[in-house]
Amino acid sequence: IHKEYIGAGAQAIKTNTFAVNRVNMQGDEELSEKLITAGYEIAKLSAGEDAFVLCDIGPVQQIGENTALEDEYIWVADRFLSLSADAFIFETLENYKAPQKAAAYIKKKNPDAFIILSFAVMADGFTRDGVFASDIIDALRGDNNVDACGFNCTCSPGHMLSLLKDTDLSGITLFA
């Protein structure tokens, strides 16, 4: 599938690791590591010199109050960093705080890393966590650890366009 995207003109592909973390894998650290490694290696092999590989880090689900989201995002990022990864997309996010801290961690380890934070907003502009789209943009504007931010899925392209028209996008690189 990666090669089909590249053949169609894609200049970047994502690893197939969207839901891979220890929370989603019911605490199975070994399985999580294997899936992250395989997902990255397959994407890198497919991309060759023709495309960038973005390490796909999907949302970590909060289970009760004991799940340390920031720690889990960093754990996943560390697996990718150990494979010499240098481009990351945190996607379908509901809140910016833990991923923003993970972005800072990645930049500390690799200042040249490229990081996108992408949020799932509903048609009304709110994430499931109740954070409004413009508040996300305001919080990330000027954060040197985040290279691009924006929105993906949940609402239709028409709703997203309408939402973006009403949002101050100055000072950011937009991902939608």
Side-chain angles (χ1 to χ4, degrees):
I1 291 172
H2 293 313
K3 287 184 179 185
E4 288 182 29
Y5 275 107
I6 294 166
Q11 295 176 348
I13 56 173
K14 298 185 296 184
T15 60
N16 62 344
T17 54
F18 173 79
V20 179
N21 59 64
R22 295 174 296 183
V23 174
N24 287 346
M25 299 294 124
Q26 300 175 345
D28 193 332
E29 188 168 312
E30 184 179 342
L31 175 61
S32 298
E33 285 188 39
K34 284 181 181 180
L35 291 172
I36 288 167
T37 300
Y40 184 73
E41 289 176 350
I42 290 167
K44 285 297 280 185
L45 181 64
S46 298
E49 299 296 319
D50 299 324
F52 294 99
V53 173
L54 293 165
C55 299
D56 192 347
I57 303 175
V60 175
Q61 298 303 312
Q62 180 79 26
I63 301 174
E65 294 186 25
N66 296 327
T67 302
L69 298 178
E70 179 183 334
D71 291 343
E72 192 61 21
Y73 283 120
I74 288 172
W75 184 87
V76 173
D78 260 338
R79 307 292 72 75
F80 283 119
L81 287 165
S82 74
L83 299 168
S84 300
D86 60 2
F88 301 81
I89 179 169
F90 291 76
E91 67 170 319
T92 316
L93 302 171
E94 299 175 2
N95 200 311
Y96 58 85
K97 293 177 183 174
Q100 188 178 26
K101 290 178 181 177
Y105 174 84
I106 292 168
K107 288 286 192 171
K108 185 175 180 182
K109 294 276 221 168
N110 180 356
D112 296 324
F114 184 81
I115 302 170
I116 300 169
L117 299 187
S118 183
F119 299 84
V121 294
M122 295 175 275
D124 64 1
F126 286 91
T127 68
R128 289 189 181 140
D129 218 21
V131 184
F132 194 60
S134 63
D135 294 335
I136 292 168
I137 297 296
D138 289 343
L140 298 177
R141 183 180 287 112
D143 184 335
N144 294 327
N145 297 312
V146 178
D147 296 291
C149 64
F151 309 103
N152 69 291
C153 73
T154 308
C155 68
S156 73
H159 286 113
M160 192 176 296
L161 180 60
S162 177
L163 177 67
L164 292 173
K165 284 181 179 178
D166 295 332
T167 302
D168 175 10
L169 301 174
S170 62
I172 67 154
T173 299
L174 179 67
F175 175 90

